[in-house]
Amino acid sequence: NTLSKELIQFSYREDIYQVIKAYQALTPTLDSAQQLVLKDTLLGYQRLGMHLSAAKKERLKALKAKLSDVSQAFDEAIREMDSKGSFTEAELEGVPEEFLKKLKKKDGAYLVDFTRPSHRSVLLSNAKNEAVRKKTYIMRSAPVLLENGPRLTEMARLRTELATLLGYSTWADFKAETRMAGDQKTIRTFLDELLEGLQPKLAEERKVFIDLKKELTGKEEVSLNLWDYSYLANQLKKQKYQIDMEALRVYFPMEACLKGMYQVYSQLFGIEIQQVENPNPWAEGVTLHIITDSKTKKPLGLFYLDLYPREGKYGHFAQFGIVRGRLEKDGYQRPTVALICNFPEPSGERPTLLDLGDVETLFHEFGHALHSILTEAPFVNYSGTSVARDFVEAPSQVLEYWLKKPEILNLFAADYRDSSKKFPQVVLDNLEAADLATAAHHYVGQIAYGLSDLNLHSYLATEQVGDAIVLGNKTMEHVFYTPPAGSGFMASFGHLTGYDAGYYGYAWADVIAADIASVFEKNDAYLDPKWGLKLRKSIFEPGGMRPAKSLVESFLGRSQSITPFLESLGIKKNEK
């Protein structure tokens, strides 16, 4: 749109760049916050290539234009991919009846859309027929393999040249510079160490899966494949843990969950949360709330709560900033944010009932709101969630650990028909055991994606960029399981145009969250305001004014470690 184009042109203003450079040359007396702004502003201009010669700038613009075109074509191919198939009722043995009822039929067969995550997930997790699962895996990428494979290879080549022109060794180093990781070597070391740490548990899980597949198929010789482990994990949970997630919804009525969450976060962070009149709601049911400091009674910020879906509304869950925190001449501008959710609506006299995953989402997204509202950063570019991109999820993800504790759940999780019936401890134990039972497969899968992404963006200018699809498949085979012939997951890996060289960030944030949570676990402090206020002061208030590593270690009182994360999965790391 016009505004975006104008902002891009503004960022390339040579006159402003020269004025800022001249100002830096005067070696002005600045406080630490001002020094950070000046340093990052000049780094931003360097990353745009403002320091390059006229000829190199022209080459840079040409590369960016070409990269934009190829990336757009890559995305469009995924978005417009036609990947459908049909299966008979016999072929879909094991698939839930409720899912089958929603499918269209043609000539007696059920029609499925392999581009829809919900269709793929149900088939891969439930279809007893292995051929159905294999086809489902292949058809996620097969239709765009021939066109998107070369595009992805060309994107990697263009990015490598761009990085070299800007003075970086690789595209991964260029992207990592403004992230917590800092460089690609740190990312690779992290992924390699995590992969090594997960190996003992991965081996145990594979043995369980092999035994289970033998039992389910009646065969003595079986192999594990990429299209097997979701199915086997689901069967294991059904057989061994007998958890009915739908039946657990009665313990999580929406109003009780909100009230319980407010109670937990109020006690932990030293705040008060109160609903106020919403003078101008953008839709019916949108409420407005104020957060104040419980000690000083000073207002900290406002948040809107938009809980239920409606026509034309954003379809996912997210926290959006409306007014961002910043220091002004007459005081601090406190933030205002919106929590946009799409929870199931109430039905008749029955309230909205959440499943445990929904409650996690609620606690997580409200964590982002707290990160935004508790900020004390003086500059808007560093306030709240304006932190390194590979760190932004960690402060929210750590709060999900609270839901693993019975003393937290007992505050609000009760049968809406009879509040004396609390969430059963045995179910909580089974849920945790079920998650742990297949955790290594989940994370090694994430590492395989992360390393595929990193390998693609670690070419040097002196190297020839290899075939992206082959590279991804070889990485997957080396790290996890061998992809089937005719497949190439990289061809439909949408993160590669928006989160390129950044997929490691999911596991990165999980490891940081586990490290922080281990302090609360060790001190039995999940409702202890002493530790909650330390978390608020160390991590939530500074925003991006200090390096993320410094924030985390100021809370921990020690260096970061992957050991608490491995221990949370039941893995004791061998001391060398």
Side-chain angles (χ1 to χ4, degrees):
N1 58 41
T2 305
L3 178 61
S4 295
K5 289 178 180 176
E6 286 297 321
L7 287 172
I8 290 168
Q9 288 302 315
F10 183 78
S11 67
Y12 277 97
R13 285 270 300 268
E14 181 71 31
D15 54 342
I16 297 176
Y17 172 58
Q18 291 302 335
V19 167
I20 295 172
K21 275 188 68 181
Y23 179 70
Q24 183 198 33
L26 296 173
T27 59
T29 302
L30 303 172
D31 63 30
S32 59
Q34 293 166 335
Q35 288 172 19
L36 179 67
V37 173
L38 181 59
K39 171 177 159 287
D40 283 354
T41 301
L42 286 167
L43 176 62
Y45 278 118
Q46 178 184 313
R47 290 171 64 80
L48 288 170
M50 294 293 284
H51 61 296
L52 299 177
S53 67
K56 285 186 176 179
K57 280 181 186 173
E58 285 304 307
R59 180 59 183 159
L60 191 71
K61 286 179 182 177
L63 287 169
K64 285 187 173 183
K66 178 66 174 170
L67 180 59
S68 176
D69 289 343
V70 179
S71 300
Q72 189 174 346
F74 181 86
D75 285 337
E76 282 180 2
I78 296 173
R79 194 164 51 246
E80 297 171 5
M81 186 189 342
D82 184 15
S83 185
K84 296 182 174 66
S86 63
F87 297 109
T88 64
E89 187 169 350
E91 287 176 314
L92 293 180
E93 182 183 354
V95 176
E97 189 66 32
E98 284 301 309
F99 175 75
L100 295 179
K101 286 178 184 176
K102 297 174 185 176
L103 297 180
K104 293 180 180 177
K105 294 182 80 172
K106 185 179 180 181
D107 300 328
Y110 290 96
L111 303 178
V112 297
D113 185 346
F114 298 113
T115 66
R116 294 178 63 175
S118 59
H119 283 207
R120 292 198 308 277
S121 175
V122 169
L123 293 179
L124 287 170
S125 298
N126 295 280
K128 186 176 180 181
N129 188 321
E130 186 170 342
V132 170
R133 301 197 304 271
K134 183 176 180 180
K135 183 176 180 180
T136 300
Y137 181 87
I138 292 172
M139 291 303 292
R140 176 64 185 103
S141 57
V144 291
L145 205 54
L146 292 178
E147 50 186 328
N148 266 3
R151 283 177 185 142
L152 190 53
T153 303
E154 176 69 355
M155 282 156 58
R157 188 194 66 75
L158 291 167
R159 286 168 176 162
T160 298
E161 188 177 346
L162 264 167
T164 306
L165 199 58
L166 289 167
Y168 298 85
S169 298
T170 68
W171 183 257
D173 283 301
F174 170 71
K175 295 292 282 190
E177 182 182 34
T178 56
R179 293 176 178 153
M180 186 178 174
D183 55 53
Q184 67 127 337
K185 183 182 177 185
T186 300
I187 299 169
R188 194 172 295 279
T189 299
F190 165 74
L191 291 174
D192 287 345
E193 284 185 2
L194 192 56
L195 184 62
E196 181 185 356
L198 288 166
Q199 289 309 305
K201 189 165 192 327
L202 185 69
E204 290 173 7
E205 290 180 11
R206 280 178 170 162
K207 185 177 185 307
V208 172
F209 281 163
I210 286 172
D211 290 343
L212 181 58
K213 190 172 181 181
K214 285 179 180 178
E215 178 191 326
L216 293 171
T217 61
K219 296 177 181 177
E220 275 302 310
E221 294 295 324
V222 296
S223 60
L224 290 180
N225 302 292
L226 271 173
W227 53 88
D228 286 332
Y229 80 89
S230 292
Y231 173 71
L232 294 172
N234 191 31
Q235 296 304 309
L236 182 68
K237 289 177 182 181
K238 282 182 178 179
Q239 281 189 16
K240 189 170 181 180
Y241 302 104
Q242 299 175 339
I243 298 167
D244 183 349
M245 295 301 285
E246 283 299 306
L248 299 180
R249 285 182 182 271
V250 296
Y251 294 100
F252 299 113
M254 171 63 82
E255 287 305 317
C257 290
L258 285 171
K259 187 177 178 182
M261 180 178 71
Y262 295 158
Q263 181 184 346
V264 170
Y265 288 157
S266 294
Q267 183 171 335
L268 191 66
F269 290 109
I271 57 176
E272 294 173 2
I273 303 169
Q274 186 178 6
Q275 185 171 339
V276 295
E277 182 189 352
N278 187 355
N280 190 23
W282 58 78
E284 186 181 350
V286 176
T287 54
L288 179 62
H289 308 254
I290 187 168
I291 295 181
T292 56
D293 185 279
S294 56
K295 190 174 182 181
T296 65
K297 305 303 178 184
K298 288 182 179 178
L300 297 173
L302 296 163
F303 69 91
Y304 290 93
L305 200 55
D306 187 350
L307 290 171
Y308 303 113
R310 60 180 172 272
E311 190 69 31
K313 182 183 171 182
Y314 176 79
H316 301 284
F317 294 81
Q319 179 247 220
F320 292 102
I322 299 173
V323 178
R324 295 167 71 189
R326 62 185 178 275
L327 187 61
E328 297 184 335
K329 287 181 180 178
D330 56 352
Y332 199 86
Q333 169 64 64
R334 299 311 310 179
T336 299
V337 304
L339 275 178
I340 306 300
C341 309
N342 284 279
F343 292 113
E345 293 179 276
S347 176
E349 293 184 5
R350 177 171 157 155
T352 287
L353 299 175
L354 308 180
D355 64 26
L356 191 54
D358 291 330
V359 183
E360 273 190 5
T361 299
L362 184 63
F363 269 63
H364 178 101
E365 294 302 333
F366 198 75
H368 284 306
L370 288 175
H371 199 180
S372 292
I373 288 172
L374 296 177
T375 188
E376 297 291 343
F379 295 102
V380 70
N381 285 0
Y382 303 91
S383 73
T385 56
S386 299
V387 296
R389 192 169 178 187
D390 52 358
F391 177 64
V392 71
E393 293 298 328
S396 287
Q397 278 175 221
V398 70
L399 298 173
E400 294 178 21
Y401 279 81
W402 270 244
L403 294 173
K404 300 176 187 291
K405 309 305 292 181
E407 65 267 31
I408 304 295
L409 284 177
N410 281 337
L411 292 173
F412 64 91
D415 192 320
Y416 79 101
R417 299 160 303 188
D418 180 357
S419 60
S420 68
K421 294 181 179 177
K422 298 292 185 179
F423 193 82
Q425 176 69 49
V426 66
V427 174
L428 187 61
D429 293 341
N430 277 352
L431 283 167
E432 185 172 3
D435 285 341
L436 291 179
T438 59
H441 271 74
H442 168 73
Y443 280 106
V444 173
Q446 292 288 298
I447 292 168
Y449 282 116
L451 281 172
S452 298
D453 171 31
L454 189 65
N455 289 341
L456 184 66
H457 295 111
S458 296
Y459 285 99
L460 300 168
T462 54
E463 297 173 329
Q464 182 68 38
V465 172
D467 185 304
I469 303 301
V470 172
L471 178 69
N473 284 351
K474 281 186 175 178
T475 304
M476 182 65 73
E477 179 178 358
H478 175 69
V479 173
F480 202 28
Y481 291 108
T482 304
S487 73
F489 70 94
M490 297 281 270
S492 58
F493 194 2
H495 285 75
L496 296 174
T497 55
Y499 204 27
D500 39 292
Y503 196 84
Y504 74 92
Y506 293 108
W508 180 274
D510 278 346
V511 168
I512 294 170
D515 209 1
I516 295 170
S518 71
V519 174
F520 287 91
E521 182 68 34
K522 180 181 176 183
N523 292 283
D524 192 23
Y526 283 95
L527 287 171
D528 188 338
K530 178 185 117 179
W531 289 99
L533 285 170
K534 186 175 184 184
L535 184 64
R536 173 178 162 181
K537 299 288 182 188
S538 301
I539 292 176
F540 282 74
E541 288 185 0
M545 291 302 300
R546 287 166 51 203
K549 189 171 189 287
S550 169
L551 299 181
V552 174
E553 294 185 349
S554 71
F555 174 78
L556 295 174
R558 57 168 169 78
S559 298
Q560 283 179 245
S561 170
I562 68 168
T563 302
F565 173 75
L566 294 174
E567 288 180 346
S568 76
L569 303 183
I571 302 168
K572 297 293 183 184
K573 195 176 180 189
N574 292 327
E575 297 296 331
K576 292 184 179 179

